[in-house]
Amino acid sequence: MVEASADADHHQTPLLLHKEGEEQQEEEEAKCYVNRTGNVWTAVSHIITGVVGSGVLSLAWSVAQLGWIAGPLAMLFFASITLTSTFLLCNCYRTPDPELGPGRNRSYLEAVDMSLGKKSARFCGLFIQITLFGVGIAYTVTSAISIRAIHKSNCYHKEGHQAACDYPDTYYMLIFGLAQIVLSQAPDFHNIQWLSVVAAIMSFFYSFVGFSLGVAQVIENGYVKGSLTGIETSSPVEKMWLVSQALGDIAFAYPYTLILIEIQDTLKSPPSENQTMKKASTISSIIITIFYVLCGGFGYAAFGEATPGNLLTGFGFYEPYLLIDFANACIVIHLVGGYQVYSQPLFGNVERWISEKYPDSGFINNEYSLKLPLIPAFRLNLLRLSFRTVHVVCTTSIAMIFPYFNQVIGVLGAVNFWPITIYFPVEMYFKQRNIEAWTTKWVMLRIFTIGCFLVTMFALVGSIEGLISAKLS
């Protein structure tokens, strides 16, 4: 009745309706303001959860391919590039002014749309969805490897290191997929902060275990293994492919620009969100880089030419098997949270687009309260249930087809790095700050963009070659 009355008076009281619309928008903004309670440390936990995952496990292998000089320098290079990019992107959360701008962009894609227009947003959206989808595949593969490692370490402990302790990945991937179907029903990013904090704690633990085991192995060996140029290969071409794949793996291990704005949208204000996010990004980058250099360096120092592709699930770490089991369990818990940190933005983007396209559909917009025994009531939406279930089924299926850890994350790192971490943040910075062509800042950022593009293409080609070779072998 109220809706009909308002509709009938539409042409008679346009100013009144316009005022009511503004008040409603202000109420919605105020509601969002109240709900945003994040601070520097919750942002740090979100970043660490999203970054320290599959990537850290391959860093010892990456350092082994690059050697003692190029390996650590490559990690410092990607850390500095990522931090530079996040500083540019933090200013794009509010438009037009990064400090007091009235409009808030709640996702990376919204920021691109607002700054660069619809055409760029569609191009960006393609890379975003591919990258978020790919991270789900990588996390599914890694979790299965870690669960299998727990079974293998227990088998070796009972039967001896020469026992045939082989287990298929498929069963473990299905278990991980089922868990993600349930967790994916959380309405949005704000509902999983607790999971993000738990996952961040897990990442600290298994990174520390990997570092400690590397130190223990070096002490047991009595010397540091490895060389300045890395692992020797049978030909320069093979060395080139391995170096490019190592760069792809490191590229995968660092960037989090894809989820930065979603994380920034959880922050309370004042102080301004971009100031808080820059502080959180700096703290996170320092912590992450220290972990990475220690894990990658001591892993290579421990194993040298025989450095495994996955530090905690490779050969050598049979004892103490309980510690290894617990570390791998922490990896799985972390990846459960990390999967959601990366998938929630994808879910939000697709579901917002569908809701806007079909605003009157009950299947898409209606929510139902469901109460099961022993658990609190929760909201159920049919679109959310069906779309997110299909998404998890697809990532799990592809992971079963390509269960190749180093190769998969190398391809994903190369595909994601340049467009998402470099190109769009730089272009948005140009637009927002009105940087004129051929000024000093413009030239320096163009050189920055082109240089990163060349590194990315080198890593992408090598990683694709490694994936094809692994599939054919």
Side-chain angles (χ1 to χ4, degrees):
M1 187 66 179
V2 175
E3 291 179 358
S5 176
D7 200 12
D9 295 338
H10 175 74
H11 297 290
Q12 299 177 13
T13 57
L15 293 178
L16 178 60
L17 288 175
H18 179 68
K19 184 177 180 180
E20 290 176 351
E22 288 182 342
E23 291 175 352
Q24 183 178 2
Q25 183 177 0
E26 289 176 358
E27 290 177 0
E28 292 177 356
E29 287 290 327
K31 188 182 296 183
C32 291
Y33 175 85
V34 172
N35 291 337
R36 294 187 298 127
T37 59
N39 53 38
V40 170
W41 298 109
T42 61
V44 168
S45 71
H46 279 313
I47 293 170
I48 293 175
T49 300
V51 176
V52 183
S54 306
V56 70
L57 304 174
S58 68
L59 290 178
W61 181 88
S62 298
V63 173
Q65 312 311 314
L66 297 168
W68 277 119
I69 297 177
L73 287 179
M75 285 189 271
L76 293 175
F77 168 79
F78 280 101
S80 61
I81 294 300
T82 300
L83 188 59
T84 300
S85 172
T86 58
F87 271 45
L88 298 178
L89 190 58
C90 285
N91 293 327
C92 300
Y93 173 64
R94 286 190 178 272
T95 53
D97 185 88
E99 295 285 343
L100 302 173
R104 290 191 292 115
N105 299 308
R106 293 181 174 84
S107 70
Y108 187 102
L109 193 59
E110 283 186 18
V112 174
D113 190 5
M114 181 64 68
S115 299
L116 303 177
K118 298 290 184 184
K119 186 176 180 180
S120 294
R122 285 193 293 268
F123 179 66
C124 175
L126 176 63
F127 281 101
I128 288 177
Q129 307 311 327
I130 291 173
T131 302
L132 293 174
F133 186 81
V135 169
I137 297 171
Y139 280 17
T140 303
V141 171
T142 311
S143 65
I145 293 173
S146 295
I147 298 172
R148 183 183 61 186
I150 295 173
H151 283 187
K152 289 183 70 173
S153 67
N154 291 335
C155 175
Y156 286 133
H157 178 73
K158 294 178 181 178
E159 307 294 336
H161 292 178
Q162 304 304 318
C165 298
D166 294 325
Y167 301 95
D169 292 324
T170 304
Y171 175 71
Y172 308 120
M173 291 182 186
L174 289 173
I175 294 175
F176 185 82
L178 289 173
Q180 294 303 334
I181 288 176
V182 175
L183 292 172
S184 293
Q185 299 311 309
D188 54 42
F189 202 65
H190 299 272
N191 296 90
I192 59 169
Q193 288 197 21
W194 64 271
L195 183 61
S196 183
V197 172
V198 171
I201 294 172
M202 296 299 100
S203 70
F204 273 114
F205 180 81
Y206 71 70
S207 297
F208 179 75
V209 170
F211 160 67
S212 300
L213 289 173
V215 172
Q217 188 66 48
V218 171
I219 293 173
E220 181 180 336
N221 294 339
Y223 63 97
V224 173
K225 295 184 178 181
S227 65
L228 295 180
T229 57
I231 293 175
E232 296 182 1
T233 58
S234 58
S235 68
V237 174
E238 183 183 359
K239 181 67 174 180
M240 180 184 68
W241 290 135
L242 291 174
V243 167
S244 64
Q245 188 176 319
L247 292 176
D249 284 7
I250 297 174
F252 178 84
Y254 266 104
Y256 56 94
T257 48
L258 202 57
I259 58 173
L260 182 140
I261 289 182
E262 279 83 359
I263 295 173
Q264 195 166 348
D265 192 44
T266 67
L267 301 176
K268 62 183 178 183
S269 178
S272 63
E273 298 91 348
N274 71 326
Q275 291 180 1
T276 304
M277 199 65 202
K278 288 177 181 178
K279 185 182 295 185
S281 297
T282 302
I283 295 171
S284 301
S285 295
I286 293 172
I287 294 172
I288 290 166
T289 301
I290 291 172
F291 269 123
Y292 282 4
V293 171
L294 291 176
C295 290
F298 274 99
Y300 182 40
F303 295 104
E305 296 282 320
T307 302
N310 186 325
L311 186 60
L312 283 178
T313 59
F315 72 97
F317 287 157
Y318 301 114
E319 301 293 344
Y321 83 102
L322 287 177
L323 181 62
I324 302 303
D325 287 354
F326 190 60
N328 278 297
C330 290
I331 292 174
V332 175
I333 295 172
H334 175 262
L335 294 180
V336 168
Y339 187 105
Q340 288 300 312
V341 167
Y342 277 98
S343 295
Q344 286 290 338
L346 185 152
F347 297 154
N349 290 338
V350 174
E351 289 165 6
R352 276 193 296 269
W353 178 80
I354 296 175
S355 297
E356 291 171 1
K357 193 170 182 64
Y358 303 100
D360 300 323
S361 172
F363 176 85
I364 293 171
N365 297 297
N366 291 346
E367 291 199 348
Y368 307 92
S369 179
L370 184 62
K371 180 69 175 71
L372 297 176
L374 303 179
I375 63 173
F378 63 93
R379 292 178 297 161
L380 182 66
N381 173 267
L382 296 179
L383 170 64
R384 186 163 65 237
L385 177 63
S386 57
F387 167 68
R388 298 185 182 192
T389 300
V390 170
H391 168 86
V392 175
V393 169
C394 290
T395 57
T396 304
S397 301
I398 296 175
M400 292 177 184
I401 298 172
F402 297 100
Y404 310 115
F405 175 70
N406 293 97
Q407 294 84 349
V408 167
I409 66 174
V411 170
L412 292 173
V415 168
N416 163 63
F417 181 72
W418 186 78
I420 303 300
T421 306
I422 306 299
Y423 175 75
F424 285 110
V426 169
E427 293 301 315
M428 285 190 283
Y429 181 80
F430 282 157
K431 186 73 173 181
Q432 191 176 51
R433 300 291 179 149
N434 296 317
I435 306 297
E436 296 183 2
W438 303 110
T439 59
T440 301
K441 185 174 291 186
W442 186 91
V443 171
M444 294 301 293
L445 285 174
R446 285 297 179 207
I447 294 173
F448 171 77
T449 302
I450 294 171
C452 290
F453 175 76
L454 296 176
V455 173
T456 299
M457 291 306 299
F458 176 62
L460 178 61
V461 172
S463 298
I464 291 175
E465 190 277 338
L467 187 63
I468 294 173
S469 298
K471 187 64 179 177
L472 295 177
S473 62

